[in-house]
Amino acid sequence: MKVKYEELVDLFSTLLIKKGFSNEDAKEAGVIFAENTVSGVLSHGINRFPRVLKYIDDGDIKIGVKEEVVFSLPFFERWDCKMGLGPLFAKKGMTRAILLAKESGIGVVALKNNNHWMRGGYFAELASKEGLIGICWSNTTANMPPWGAKTARLGNNPLCIAVPVKDGSSFLLDMAISQYSYGKLETLRLKGENLPYPGGFDKNGKLTDVPSDIEESKRMLPIGYWKGSGLSIALDLIASVISGGNSVKEISDFTNEVALSQIMIVLDPMKLGIDNAEERAKEILSYVKSADTAEGFRGVSYPGESMNRTKDANMRDGVEVVDSIYLSLKELV
Amino acid sequence: MKVKYEELVDLFSTLLIKKGFSNEDAKEAGVIFAENTVSGVLSHGINRFPRVLKYIDDGDIKIGVKEEVVFSLPFFERWDCKMGLGPLFAKKGMTRAILLAKESGIGVVALKNNNHWMRGGYFAELASKEGLIGICWSNTTANMPPWGAKTARLGNNPLCIAVPVKDGSSFLLDMAISQYSYGKLETLRLKGENLPYPGGFDKNGKLTDVPSDIEESKRMLPIGYWKGSGLSIALDLIASVISGGNSVKEISDFTNEVALSQIMIVLDPMKLGIDNAEERAKEILSYVKSADTAEGFRGVSYPGESMNRTKDANMRDGVEVVDSIYLSLKELV
């Protein structure tokens, strides 16, 4: 069935208020879950919402907490987010980094003890919508073996980079360091399809594109094999060290995936003396798109390019949701 | 044949002095080329040196130029490197970013019109050797198609991240965004071997691990397929915009790969209120290494872990070089 954006905001907000969140926090978070849903990322919108409610019930997402600024410099702050609702504090943190960057040219906010932020690209794009460059990443629980290993020790640590483009749009990279997500494996398995490219090793150590073989072995592939393995470690090192928060190691000891470490970095090109940032981005992206399309592909696009179209269409027509998930949430109202 | 580190420094320095570099610049650059060589990265040490001499002869690497600081803030500087010798200005830029970070907690230096820096990890490690986190990347000429395309529009834009570890070593990620380099393809082709994993598409659009098929199609694979394609664009966007320098597009119009844009970022954990950075890094890396080794692998190591052993051995015993390259350089003295 199709559901309107406003209905989703209302649904999520109402359920959060019922759990005890303030009207303001519930509305703010409801907007983010609804935005993610209409942006086409249902896995970090409506489809994830039942798990968020469970984490609240488990006491792993705390209600009514406030961030504590544990350290600050003119362009840097470190916050303890006290295990609040992830998207709320990720948005607050990025909003603060944007302000710091507008004042100083660069703004960095490091968050410890924040919960899952859902879709990191949402926060990076807050910066690019204001003409700034936004970079953010989060660590996660261990869900991927390091290169050469068969037991999970790496997070898929999503990395997001948003750059403003002249026509008002954004370049928006939002990528986990695993080649695929477990959600993607499940979706394809249920459809009886294989992955487009190998996504992990099977239990015998052979690369495979069969989702169930990877679900069985739990040997997800990092992007670029040994390279993504190294990048995942680097992102965890910086996030954990600079936030003073939990690393993938500690997070993996918790029952639920909670109390993560996140980094928000914003650069203000104007404040750094650059007055043609958006034109330059446009030129660079036009050049990328000028490549000859390969056989079997429908053209060359850059990250984030199609998301705005998806979002516009879903805002207009409503977004197709999984009936059972939507209806079960409606029943909770 | 095996050559000692000191002989290499002397050889490179002497040849640069003969080309017209000052004694000081020649020594500084000679040390970097020699360090890269004994670190086991001959492709960006002695093996690349003949091409550097050619670029100097072509007038594409300028002799005796000084960087111009075109913009500065307390923790940010933008330099025009005037097409000088790449490693010299990359080292100067990183050294400056280290100083800025020690003063302010964060230091960023953006370089435009710098030439190829050879091995980026050298510069990132300058920071980690002082207990700081070093991040740097460079754009390059277009050498890889974006995802969905068959003509090159992306650089392999090497990204380097160094983090200090308690025992005095460094975590050191130094990765191009292509899965393999053309140098690696050539090396394996000459040995009659295939790549360990697919590294590109052949001219018919099929993934292949045959080096010559990729050399023919020029369809190198980015790490993680569409993900690395996006990451490469992101790195070029930020480097070009913030440095005010050339993007992959402009660089690709030049005959030689020159006048690149590079970003150096340094974080000083102590100045950011963190006093256990190296201990935390050690814990995280120990956790990664505690994973069970997969069949067919010799254990789990992290980026940079083995480089120090290689370097120590080569410093002691001399480094094995390609006779013809070494001897042809000796003839130029």
Side-chain angles (χ1 to χ4, degrees), chain A residues 56-76:
Chain A
I56 294 170
D57 292 340
D58 289 349
D60 274 338
I61 293 176
K62 310 288 186 196
I63 299 161
V65 294
K66 290 259 170 253
E67 74 279 8
E68 180 190 352
V69 180
V70 292
F71 184 85
S72 70
L73 291 171
F75 51 87
F76 174 83

Side-chain angles (χ1 to χ4, degrees), chain B residues 292-304:
Chain B
D292 296 339
T293 301
E295 297 78 7
F297 288 87
R298 284 182 304 173
V300 181
S301 61
Y302 57 81

Side-chain angles (χ1 to χ4, degrees), chain B residues 1-3 319-324 326-327:
Chain B
M1 67 195 309
K2 287 202 170 188
V3 184
V319 54
E320 186 68 38
V321 298
V322 180
D323 291 15
S324 59
Y326 179 71
L327 294 173

Side-chain angles (χ1 to χ4, degrees), chain B residues 259-276:
Chain B
L260 314 177
S261 300
Q262 291 155 359
I263 302 284
M264 314 288 186
I265 300 175
V266 179
L267 304 171
D268 182 347
M270 284 290 279
K271 200 80 185 178
L272 298 175
I274 299 291
D275 60 6
N276 65 343

Side-chain angles (χ1 to χ4, degrees), chain A residues 289-301, chain B residues 146-151 219:
Chain A
K289 286 179 67 69
S290 74
D292 297 339
T293 302
E295 298 77 9
F297 288 88
R298 285 183 302 175
V300 182
S301 62
Chain B
W147 187 246
K150 56 187 179 181
T151 44
R219 292 180 58 181

Side-chain angles (χ1 to χ4, degrees), chain A residues 144-160:
Chain A
M144 189 166 63
W147 188 244
K150 57 185 178 182
T151 42
R153 290 290 184 278
L154 304 183
N156 61 0
N157 303 350
L159 170 65
C160 307

Side-chain angles (χ1 to χ4, degrees), chain A residues 18 21 34 53 55 84 99 113 120-122 130 142 144 156 166 188 193 195 223 226 239 245 252 270 290-291 327:
Chain A
K18 276 192 80 164
F21 283 86
L53 295 179
Y55 279 26
L99 188 71
N113 296 324
Y122 178 87
E130 300 206 32
M144 189 166 63
N156 61 0
K166 187 168 184 233
L188 289 182
E193 292 177 11
L195 298 164
I223 61 169
W226 55 93
S252 304
M270 284 290 279
S290 74
L327 295 173

